[in-house]
Amino acid sequence: MTELENHLLSALRAMSQQFKEQHRASETVQAALQDMFERTAQDNATLSKQVGFLSERVETLSNKLRQFESLYEQNRR
């Protein structure tokens, strides 16, 4: 094998090793991103339920306030 061929083979092996390392790193990052996405989706679902509960509570309290206002106005007369 000539010196040029040895250099080319060495460069090819180095590039192949770099590719494998980058591929493993990208798989690790992808797994981390998937985990973050799943946790975020769960958090969003929990928050959505809480917002729904709070919206219902606000509606209930608003109705009670209207009733109290009405009673107050009736009693002022």
Side-chain angles (χ1 to χ4, degrees), residues 32-49:
L33 287 172
Q34 182 66 32
D35 183 54
M36 287 170 39
F37 174 81
E38 289 170 3
R39 282 186 280 133
T40 300
Q42 290 172 349
D43 290 346
N44 285 345
T46 299
L47 288 172
S48 180
K49 287 178 185 177

Side-chain angles (χ1 to χ4, degrees), residues 19-43:
F19 172 78
K20 289 175 185 176
E21 290 169 5
Q22 289 175 349
H23 183 68
R24 279 192 294 271
S26 69
E27 287 178 332
T28 300
V29 169
Q30 182 180 2
L33 287 172
Q34 182 66 32
D35 183 54
M36 287 170 39
F37 174 81
E38 289 170 3
R39 282 186 280 133
T40 300
Q42 290 172 349
D43 290 346

